Amino acid sequence: MTELSPQSPKTDRATVATKATEPRPVHPMMAVPPTSEPFTAPFPIFTESTDRLMHALQGRFTMAMSPASLMLAYLDWQVHLANSPGKMGELAQNALSKALPLSRYALDSLMGRTDPDPFVPLAQDSRFASPEWQRFPYNVMSQAFLYTEQWWHYATTGVRGVGKHRQQVVSFAARQLLDMVSPSNCPWLNPDVLKVTAEQGGQNLVRGWQNFCDDMTRNLTGRDYSADDTYAVGKGVAVTPGKVVFRNRLIELIQYAPATPDVHAEPILIVPAWIMKYYILDLSPHNSMVKWLVSKGHTVFMISWKNPGPEDRDMGMADYRRQGVMAAIDAINAIVPGQKVHAAGYCLGGTLLSIAAAAMAREGDERLASVTLLAAQTDFEDAGEIMLFVDESQVTYLEDVMWDQGYLDAKQMSGAFQLLRSNDLVWSRMVRQYFLGQTDHANDLMAWNADATRMPYKMHSEYLRRLFLNNMLSKGRYTVEGRPIALTDIRAPICAVGTTKDHVAPWKSVYKIGILTDTDSTFILCNGGHNAGIVSEPGHKHRSYQIATRTDADKYVDPDTWAALTPKHEGSWWEAWQEWLVSNSTGKTQPPAMGAAERGYPAVADAPGLYVLMP
């Protein structure tokens, strides 16, 4: 642009101003002149709130699962399948090749011959295991169902071009629909139900109706197994003696009373997941991890999370780290001065602990003697079947559900976990209780499982997006106090525990901590599931584990090779872990006082405290 001089005889400032204000010619087809501002919604807050409110209302009927996510997955699969004539030809060939042996099996069964079953259920599928299902015509019905199940699995997998996540969603949805129509769920097609009904003159159905009414009453009134004094908190479970020595808006810190004349110098801090009440690790006296550790001469501290309500909607991951893990470590340092801390985190608590440990290492904070991760993930690329419910559509939908109420309700959360194991947790239970008239006798684990908690809106949204959706922690992009942290900064020895049947934190995912850190790491693989595998007290029958340590200088061993080469030991993994803790300790000393009133940490209540009792 040529600069105009104030002394120019051809142009003065008034002329320039007049020309600048003259309207430019506008093409008749242009709806807005080029100088117009971009369009913005007149009421953006109102329109966004309307969308969120609609999604929140829908979520009450969809168990907080996004219909759009399921529809997009279905369309992705359907369009690619329709454009794959080769795959459709394979499906037709597959159907025919399986139909012929099924027809031959049905004819032989009708003639009274007993041939081997052409279709074998999965190892965990016990719906057709009883001898009654081997008689005609029930054997043919079960085989026909397994034939259909296998065909649909083949149809919903291996379609070229379908996204991995969407393929898994479609396959999962097909399995859920098939499970609904299984002949085992129909009382007049289930030979076990028919046999029991004939033997008991229908009394099983009477008891089943009573069980159904009891469940409905429990759901409507909120009463659960923990209402029974046998497993009431502080009476039947969570009874290890101790004191609440610190309380803030988010946690109570419990210090357990010593049970031995002297104790190991380094105390243990247990960080449970906030998705559950802490007493999963302090159940009945015979299977309480806390009581067992205290009996072995350890000073144990436990975080008890507050059950959040609408007023806590804006509490995020940073609050859980600062007011949870870091506040607890500060309190322990005041009560047991001069000693490092063995920190152990369970499930989400372990993930939070790993974040806190990495942040501490970055700042040169060396107060941790060791880090133990119990069924806890730090890399979420292979986070198991729970990832079926994690994508952009689903997370956004869930955020809108939480936005309306300020938290994620326990019932909304449990629905997804029940679907992951619908055979065991939904349909088999329905057959057992409503048709066979059996009653599940309450135990401490069932009481704890019914005593679920809520999760704040901001924290759960951050957790899903930063960890599950974007996997920022394992990639070195997770920020604490505005700066990224790296797990490789951790120098304290690490022990990670995985369980063989864990569908929440698959053991191969937990195993990855060995390649995400640059310190000595010990991995323990024990049999059992996410909860029952961790609660594996000494003396528990049919328990086994494998354990091996990898130093920083050792070559990497993949998980399958590790499992094949590592010796198996009978018994509880607790004992091996406790030996590992002792090997990373400095000796024994006198038990510390209960709290430190002179340093601002008085004993304010008896264990189990107040927060664990919050409904």
Side-chain angles (χ1 to χ4, degrees):
M1 179 181 291
T2 303
E3 184 178 359
L4 297 175
S5 170
Q7 288 78 28
S8 173
K10 296 182 180 180
T11 310
D12 57 20
R13 295 181 184 273
T15 304
V16 173
T18 301
K19 289 183 178 181
T21 57
E22 290 178 355
R24 298 181 181 181
V26 179
H27 192 280
M29 297 300 292
M30 294 179 65
V32 292
T35 55
S36 297
E37 293 294 328
F39 174 78
T40 56
F43 305 105
I45 297 178
F46 172 77
T47 54
E48 181 178 320
S49 299
T50 301
D51 294 343
R52 286 191 159 197
L53 182 59
M54 184 185 73
H55 296 161
L57 292 174
Q58 289 176 348
R60 298 180 181 180
F61 303 97
T62 64
M63 290 191 296
M65 289 184 285
S66 169
S69 179
L70 182 60
M71 183 58 68
L72 288 171
Y74 172 73
L75 289 175
D76 190 5
W77 168 76
Q78 186 183 52
V79 170
H80 281 91
L81 180 61
N83 197 38
S84 302
K87 177 68 174 181
M88 289 191 290
E90 287 183 8
L91 291 178
Q93 181 182 3
N94 181 274
L96 181 61
S97 64
K98 291 180 181 297
L100 290 176
L102 177 62
S103 300
R104 184 167 55 251
Y105 177 82
L107 181 60
D108 288 345
S109 298
L110 181 62
M111 301 296 292
R113 291 190 289 268
T114 56
D115 293 338
D117 294 342
F119 306 105
V120 180
L122 298 175
Q124 67 271 20
D125 187 355
S126 59
R127 286 173 292 185
F128 312 115
S130 75
E132 299 301 319
W133 282 102
Q134 301 306 312
R135 296 189 296 107
F136 183 83
Y138 307 109
N139 57 345
V140 176
M141 288 191 295
S142 64
Q143 287 294 299
F145 175 80
L146 293 174
Y147 156 71
T148 305
E149 190 176 54
Q150 291 183 16
W151 186 88
W152 272 104
H153 174 75
Y154 184 73
T156 54
T157 57
V159 181
R160 291 172 55 83
V162 180
K164 178 181 177 182
H165 172 72
R166 289 176 175 173
Q167 177 178 270
Q168 292 172 341
V169 170
V170 171
S171 181
F172 173 78
R175 190 167 71 247
Q176 298 302 312
L177 293 173
L178 285 171
D179 285 344
M180 290 176 60
V181 298
S182 169
S184 61
N185 298 335
C186 186
W188 52 87
L189 297 180
N190 188 323
D192 295 326
V193 175
L194 295 176
K195 178 182 178 182
V196 171
T197 303
E199 291 175 347
Q200 301 184 11
Q203 289 301 308
N204 57 305
L205 299 178
V206 174
R207 294 194 305 273
W209 175 252
Q210 184 61 52
N211 290 337
F212 174 79
C213 293
D214 288 345
D215 283 348
M216 292 298 295
T217 302
R218 185 178 294 113
N219 291 332
L220 292 174
T221 61
R223 179 183 176 274
D224 54 47
Y225 294 110
S226 61
D228 187 343
D229 283 346
T230 305
Y231 303 111
V233 177
K235 297 180 180 180
V237 295
V239 295
T240 305
K243 298 286 185 181
V244 175
V245 294
F246 174 69
R247 179 187 293 144
N248 62 19
R249 179 185 173 186
L250 190 59
I251 71 166
E252 287 181 331
L253 182 65
I254 301 172
Q255 178 184 356
Y256 292 95
T260 55
D262 50 11
V263 296
H264 296 281
E266 289 79 6
I268 298 174
L269 168 64
I270 299 179
V271 185
W274 52 87
I275 196 175
M276 57 181 71
K277 298 290 181 72
Y278 81 84
Y279 64 91
I280 178 65
L281 300 176
D282 186 24
L283 288 172
S284 303
H286 74 278
N287 61 357
S288 166
M289 176 185 284
V290 168
K291 184 177 184 299
W292 186 81
L293 287 171
V294 170
S295 72
K296 292 296 181 179
H298 293 279
T299 300
V300 180
F301 292 82
M302 174 76 75
I303 288 178
S304 175
W305 299 102
K306 176 189 175 184
N307 197 5
E311 70 280 3
D312 302 307
R313 63 180 299 127
D314 293 324
M315 298 194 75
M317 288 289 290
D319 298 298
Y320 274 71
R321 183 187 63 86
R322 287 194 301 262
Q323 299 185 44
V325 177
M326 299 312 299
I329 292 175
D330 291 342
I332 294 172
N333 288 157
I335 297 169
V336 191
Q339 297 295 344
K340 292 186 177 183
V341 177
H342 292 299
Y346 183 21
C347 189
L348 306 188
T351 305
L352 180 66
L353 174 60
S354 67
I355 293 171
M360 292 172 68
R362 183 190 67 187
E363 303 301 327
D365 187 338
E366 299 180 350
R367 289 181 289 171
L368 294 181
S370 71
V371 175
T372 298
L373 305 178
L374 307 176
Q377 300 176 94
T378 49
D379 185 321
F380 292 82
E381 182 179 358
D382 301 306
E385 286 193 319
I386 195 65
M387 291 299 292
L388 290 166
F389 308 110
V390 180
D391 55 32
E392 184 63 40
S393 174
Q394 177 59 48
V395 171
T396 301
Y397 191 80
L398 189 60
E399 286 174 340
D400 292 346
V401 172
M402 295 188 295
W403 167 85
D404 178 51
Q405 56 195 17
Y407 56 83
L408 182 65
D409 187 78
K411 291 182 179 179
Q412 294 168 323
M413 194 162 36
S414 64
F417 288 101
Q418 287 185 338
L419 285 177
L420 291 177
R421 297 176 57 200
S422 60
N423 272 344
D424 295 332
L425 301 180
V426 180
W427 304 116
S428 293
R429 180 182 181 275
M430 179 192 72
V431 171
R432 187 174 63 255
Q433 290 202 330
Y434 302 159
F435 299 154
L436 297 178
Q438 299 174 2
T439 302
D440 287 339
H441 296 288
N443 56 41
D444 50 10
L445 195 58
M446 290 174 61
W448 166 83
N449 192 57
D451 194 13
T453 59
R454 299 175 289 272
M455 290 197 286
Y457 162 70
K458 182 179 180 181
M459 183 281 303
H460 197 47
S461 175
E462 289 179 344
Y463 186 86
L464 289 176
R465 287 194 175 277
R466 301 177 72 181
L467 296 175
F468 274 96
L469 199 57
N470 296 317
N471 202 15
M472 297 173 69
L473 180 60
S474 68
K475 296 178 180 178
R477 293 191 285 110
Y478 191 98
T479 57
V480 172
E481 305 293 345
R483 295 162 53 205
I485 59 172
L487 296 172
T488 51
D489 289 341
I490 300 174
R491 290 295 178 266
I494 294 175
C495 179
V497 181
T499 62
T500 56
K501 297 180 180 179
D502 197 332
H503 65 286
V504 177
W507 76 267
K508 292 182 181 180
S509 181
V510 176
Y511 182 84
K512 288 184 178 181
I513 189 65
I515 58 175
L516 295 175
T517 54
D518 291 334
T519 187
D520 294 351
S521 61
T522 297
F523 186 71
I524 300 175
L525 178 62
C526 57
N527 63 337
H530 186 69
N531 297 321
I534 297 300
V535 183
S536 182
E537 72 281 1
H540 196 296
K541 295 181 179 180
H542 311 300
R543 293 299 185 187
S544 62
Y545 65 92
Q546 297 168 272
I547 181 172
T549 297
R550 173 184 177 270
T551 67
D552 183 35
D554 290 339
K555 298 293 189 297
Y556 172 71
V557 178
D558 67 89
D560 290 323
T561 302
W562 184 95
L565 298 179
T566 305
K568 182 175 291 187
H569 305 275
E570 297 300 321
S572 169
W573 67 268
W574 289 10
E575 296 174 318
W577 176 52
Q578 195 264 340
E579 292 176 2
W580 180 85
L581 289 173
V582 172
S583 69
N584 287 285
S585 300
T586 58
K588 290 195 172 184
T589 184
Q590 292 295 312
M594 297 297 289
E598 69 281 3
R599 297 185 180 92
Y601 296 96
V604 297
D606 291 331
L610 300 178
Y611 282 179
V612 73
L613 301 176
M614 294 179 65

